[in-house]
Amino acid sequence: MEYLKAYCKKIISRFAQFLYLTISNFTKNNLWESAAACTFGFIFSFIPITLIIFAVLTAMIRVYPNIYQFLIDFAQQIEEAANIMPLLDKLLEIRSIKSFNVFLVVWIIWMARKLFRSIIRSMNKVFRSVSKRKSWFNQALTFIFEFAITLIVAVIILFAFAFSQIIQLPLIKSLLDGFQILFRRSSQNLGRLVLYLILFVSTTIAYRIIPGTKPLMRRCVFYAALSTASFFTVSFFINVFMNFTRYTTVYGPISSLVILMMKVYMFFNIFLFCAQMIYVSQFFEPLLRSEIYQLPPDNPQDIGNYLRHLLFINPAEIQTPENTVTLAAGETLYTAEQAAQSVFFIKSGTVSEETLLGAEQRPQGTFLGDVQCILSQPYGTTATAVEDCTLIRFTADEFKQIIRKSHYAALKAISKISQYTEEVYVGAKNQDALL
């Protein structure tokens, strides 16, 4: 029972830390604005992308004319936002390649890339600290992603068409008559299924390819499913609580476009939040080490720092029997002459350091030996446990990795080096005065 209780406590603590790191990094990366940029890119790219998809499908339409009626049904569902029927008819009329047509194709492809470029830039904000890709590769990835998504959408539409034809067969139709609640054969429900399937597949590919950090496929699939399900839930509640007929009556057809853009903005917020969750999940331990290094002092005054202190003061995820150091009251951790080959985090208890300015108490949540480790100096002080203590040991390489991975941790290290230099100067000055 005690083991189960400790395990549940560890899981809850890890989830709370994971959620805080996700929200914190989402805010620091300013992904709210990135979602708005992706929404703005969607405005410019929606029609060009649709044209590219339908251009791919026109060849199939000529071979299988029944697909045309299926596309008409699909296009009617988005008619209020954008009427693409005239464009679809014009595509079917094209029989030869002309210079003007080539110009239009180039322009359409160039305009369609704006959405994918915005998505890649937003994802780079999340993964840029660990991604090693060059800028030229991201440019190429924009076009690759554009054509990949186009192909995926076209294939899914063809499969949806094939599915709609299969369920119309007399034998299948008779079998499904008893399950009309589960299998509604309306084009609207089929269109929604196609939309969410496209979102799920596209999101999975984006999470897998764009970061450049090779996240696990199962992780990408899970967060893509979470993103799609969350967007479905948000859309469902918007449809339930908003009266679209009244908005259309009062504001006209433009209201449909406004509502569509609101949904798109919410989708990209969810999409980027789940991308941030992938980043935190993939690099949880380095982020946790960085966060505990930035912990506020013991007994913080404001609520934000108090919550941080409460969440990260017990970093069980990175604590192992090998890196745990226990001290009894009065026991020495290190002496002034020892080389600083390790850095210590006080998980519980208090440690006293004999400095040039006298004895100083280091409370729970403090790092010891970090400045000396960075400067490759001896500890310069003697650290003794005031009470029974538990500490987590970091090797010099592990600690320097924290500084390299997080510029926030680097800023704190610079601040502590500056403070240490001042203390050394004042101590040396006092010694000279005594002599």
Side-chain angles (χ1 to χ4, degrees):
M1 180 61 71
E2 289 296 327
Y3 172 79
L4 180 61
K5 192 175 180 180
Y7 178 76
C8 291
K9 184 178 179 181
K10 181 180 178 180
I11 292 297
I12 293 171
S13 175
R14 188 188 190 282
F15 177 75
Q17 292 168 349
F18 173 81
L19 192 60
Y20 175 87
L21 288 171
T22 301
I23 296 172
S24 174
N25 282 277
F26 185 88
T27 305
K28 288 175 183 177
N29 290 327
N30 204 16
L31 295 181
W32 303 100
E33 289 191 4
S34 297
C38 291
T39 306
F40 188 72
F42 176 84
I43 296 174
F44 283 93
S45 300
F46 178 73
I47 296 298
I49 291 172
T50 305
L51 283 175
I52 294 172
I53 293 168
F54 282 148
V56 173
L57 292 171
T58 48
M60 287 289 183
I61 291 174
R62 293 190 179 98
V63 178
Y64 302 102
N66 291 338
I67 299 179
Y68 181 70
Q69 184 59 46
F70 180 80
L71 291 177
I72 289 176
D73 295 337
F74 183 78
Q76 285 174 350
Q77 297 179 42
I78 60 172
E79 187 175 3
E80 292 183 357
N83 186 7
I84 59 175
M85 290 306 304
L87 296 172
L88 181 58
D89 293 335
K90 289 294 182 184
L91 282 173
L92 290 173
E93 292 175 4
I94 296 175
R95 299 294 177 180
S96 61
I97 299 176
K98 299 178 182 178
S99 58
F100 182 69
N101 292 339
V102 173
F103 170 78
L104 283 179
V105 169
V106 173
W107 180 83
I108 288 170
I109 293 174
W110 190 259
M111 291 301 293
R113 70 188 286 271
K114 289 185 178 294
L115 172 61
F116 302 104
R117 189 178 180 186
S118 299
I119 293 173
I120 290 173
R121 282 181 172 178
S122 301
M123 293 280 283
N124 284 341
K125 279 189 176 182
V126 177
F127 292 92
R128 63 186 169 191
S129 63
V130 290
S131 180
K132 298 179 181 180
R133 282 181 175 162
K134 305 295 183 182
S135 58
W136 65 265
F137 186 86
N138 288 329
Q139 293 292 334
L141 189 62
T142 302
F143 290 103
I144 294 171
F145 199 62
E146 176 182 340
F147 288 107
I149 295 299
T150 300
L151 183 61
I152 289 167
V153 172
V155 169
I156 290 177
I157 289 176
L158 289 175
F159 272 109
F161 167 73
F163 177 76
S164 68
Q165 296 301 302
I166 290 172
I167 63 176
Q168 294 300 323
L169 294 174
L171 178 61
I172 303 298
K173 197 172 183 180
S174 61
L175 291 174
L176 296 180
D177 283 340
F179 303 94
Q180 292 185 8
I181 296 176
L182 297 176
F183 298 95
R184 295 181 180 179
R185 298 185 293 271
S186 67
S187 61
Q188 183 179 7
N189 288 334
L190 185 57
R192 288 178 181 174
L193 177 64
V194 170
L195 173 63
Y196 285 107
L197 185 59
I198 290 170
L199 287 179
F200 170 70
V201 174
S202 303
T203 303
T204 302
I205 293 173
Y207 287 162
R208 175 63 178 172
I209 295 176
I210 296 177
T213 59
K214 298 180 180 179
L216 295 175
M217 190 63 190
R218 64 175 180 270
R219 184 173 287 161
C220 297
V221 171
F222 173 78
Y223 285 108
L226 179 63
S227 174
T228 306
S230 300
F231 178 63
F232 172 80
T233 305
V234 170
S235 297
F236 174 78
F237 281 105
I238 289 175
N239 294 334
V240 168
F241 292 106
M242 292 189 70
N243 190 331
F244 293 102
T245 304
R246 184 180 64 183
Y247 277 98
T248 304
T249 303
V250 175
Y251 299 106
I254 192 67
S255 61
S256 299
L257 180 61
V258 173
I259 293 170
L260 173 65
M261 298 314 299
M262 179 181 67
K263 287 185 176 182
V264 172
Y265 177 67
M266 289 181 176
F267 167 76
F268 280 115
N269 271 298
I270 295 170
F271 172 84
L272 293 175
F273 188 81
C274 289
Q276 189 69 73
M277 293 176 81
I278 291 176
Y279 172 78
V280 173
S281 179
Q282 191 175 3
F283 301 100
F284 182 72
E285 287 193 14
L287 289 171
L288 183 58
R289 292 190 183 101
S290 173
E291 194 64 37
I292 65 172
Y293 184 64
Q294 300 171 62
L295 273 182
D298 199 19
N299 299 320
Q301 299 299 316
D302 62 287
I303 185 66
N305 284 333
Y306 174 78
L307 288 175
R308 285 179 60 202
H309 196 274
L310 187 66
L311 277 174
F312 294 100
I313 199 62
N314 184 23
E317 189 71 19
I318 61 174
Q319 185 178 1
T320 63
E322 291 75 22
N323 65 15
T324 301
V325 178
T326 56
L327 296 177
E331 192 174 349
T332 300
L333 178 63
Y334 54 75
T335 61
E337 297 78 19
Q338 279 184 255
Q341 297 179 343
S342 300
V343 177
F344 300 91
F345 170 73
I346 305 176
K347 182 181 175 183
S348 63
T350 305
V351 175
S352 175
E353 273 194 310
E354 292 292 336
T355 69
L356 295 174
L357 301 178
E360 292 190 13
Q361 304 292 313
R362 307 299 186 190
Q364 179 189 33
T366 304
F367 270 77
L368 301 174
D370 51 338
V371 173
Q372 293 80 8
C373 179
I374 295 171
L375 299 177
S376 299
Q377 293 181 352
Y379 285 111
T381 61
T382 299
T384 306
V386 177
E387 55 187 335
D388 292 347
C389 298
T390 302
L391 303 96
I392 298 176
R393 184 202 307 269
F394 296 91
T395 65
D397 289 338
E398 288 174 339
F399 179 73
K400 289 176 181 178
Q401 192 76 0
I402 296 174
I403 304 300
R404 284 195 293 267
K405 291 287 185 182
S406 171
H407 69 275
Y408 294 103
L411 287 174
K412 180 169 182 178
I414 292 171
S415 175
K416 292 190 72 172
I417 290 172
S418 177
Q419 182 181 355
Y420 172 76
T421 305
E422 182 180 355
E423 289 176 358
V424 170
Y425 173 76
V426 172
K429 192 175 180 180
N430 291 340
Q431 284 186 345
D432 289 342
L434 290 174
L435 292 175

